[in-house]
Amino acid sequence: MALTSPDSKLWWNEKVGRAELMWITIAFLWGLFMFGMMFWWHLEGNQNLSNEVYRIAPDKFEAKVEAFAEKYKVREEAGMPVAKPEPGADVYMLSRLWEWWPILELKKGQTYRLHLSSLDWQHGFSLQPVNINIQIHPGVEHVVTLTPTQSGVFSVVCNEFCGQGHHQMVGRIHVVE
Ligand SMILES: [Cu+2]
């Protein structure tokens, strides 16, 4: 039982069993290997996002996104502007209760700087079906450099529970040839 004292008071001086030592070594080396993989995945695997982050007041971000949507609006879908910026441009999308705004239209193979922030509280930017996830906070502007590799219609769903309309918080990104 754990409540009885060990035979020897200085139990930490006792020899560690062979099997235990082996598992400690394996776990330690595996941990080191996986730590190294974080850098490898970042550089070679294209799996981690190298995003830039800035502080910004929500109303300032809102003004930037509105100016962006007005400048690049090409049409409307379901009452929402569709912005089609030129390749290489800074692209903006905001999250708020309960929408991702505006809709974007990007060109396949071109690189954009996507700016994301929230106007109220925390939302989760989840790009489907490719499953890229970014945490979106108010007061913080994330800039993600992105190059779409497939054309089609992509959905942005909120994957951070944000209240009553959470399940309806769906945005859209068109990628065209
Ligand atoms: Cu949500």
Side-chain angles (χ1 to χ4, degrees):
M1 281 295 292
L3 292 180
T4 57
S5 307
D7 293 339
S8 163
K9 280 266 180 212
L10 299 178
W11 52 269
W12 55 86
N13 278 343
E14 279 177 35
K15 227 173 154 238
V16 181
R18 250 179 93 88
E20 193 172 357
L21 209 56
M22 190 181 81
W23 284 114
I24 289 170
T25 308
I26 290 171
F28 178 73
L29 291 178
W30 183 247
L32 277 186
F33 174 72
M34 293 303 278
F35 180 77
M37 285 296 282
M38 290 195 304
F39 301 99
W40 188 83
W41 275 320
H42 194 93
L43 297 170
E44 291 293 325
N46 282 328
Q47 295 214 24
N48 294 345
L49 300 166
S50 302
N51 47 347
E52 302 164 38
V53 179
Y54 304 98
R55 288 221 168 273
I56 188 159
D59 57 330
K60 288 225 172 80
F61 188 75
E62 183 179 28
K64 284 210 277 187
V65 185
E66 272 167 10
F68 161 81
E70 196 173 314
K71 184 174 174 191
Y72 292 110
K73 182 177 162 179
V74 286
R75 61 176 188 277
E76 281 201 3
E77 275 178 30
M80 201 180 277
V82 180
K84 188 180 182 179
E86 77 254 9
D90 285 273
V91 177
Y92 292 82
M93 187 182 267
L94 63 77
S95 59
R96 64 183 155 211
L97 301 175
W98 286 280
E99 62 179 1
W100 296 97
W101 192 95
I103 294 171
L104 303 175
E105 189 168 303
L106 308 177
K107 270 195 159 169
K108 183 181 156 184
Q110 300 291 338
T111 301
Y112 300 86
R113 282 164 56 78
L114 175 62
H115 298 243
L116 298 163
S117 189
S118 165
L119 299 193
D120 33 56
W121 57 68
Q122 186 172 287
H123 297 285
F125 175 99
S126 180
L127 187 66
Q128 297 300 332
V130 289
N131 199 22
I132 291 171
N133 296 284
I134 306 163
Q135 212 58 44
I136 308 300
H137 299 266
V140 179
E141 182 173 354
H142 299 255
V143 187
V144 182
T145 303
L146 123 156
T147 310
T149 54
Q150 306 161 24
S151 53
V153 183
F154 296 84
S155 295
V156 179
V157 300
C158 180
N159 64 358
E160 193 66 56
F161 182 71
C162 58
Q164 229 179 3
H166 168 66
H167 62 289
Q168 292 171 324
M169 190 168 164
V170 182
R172 196 177 298 161
I173 298 177
H174 294 278
V175 178
V176 295
E177 296 282 339

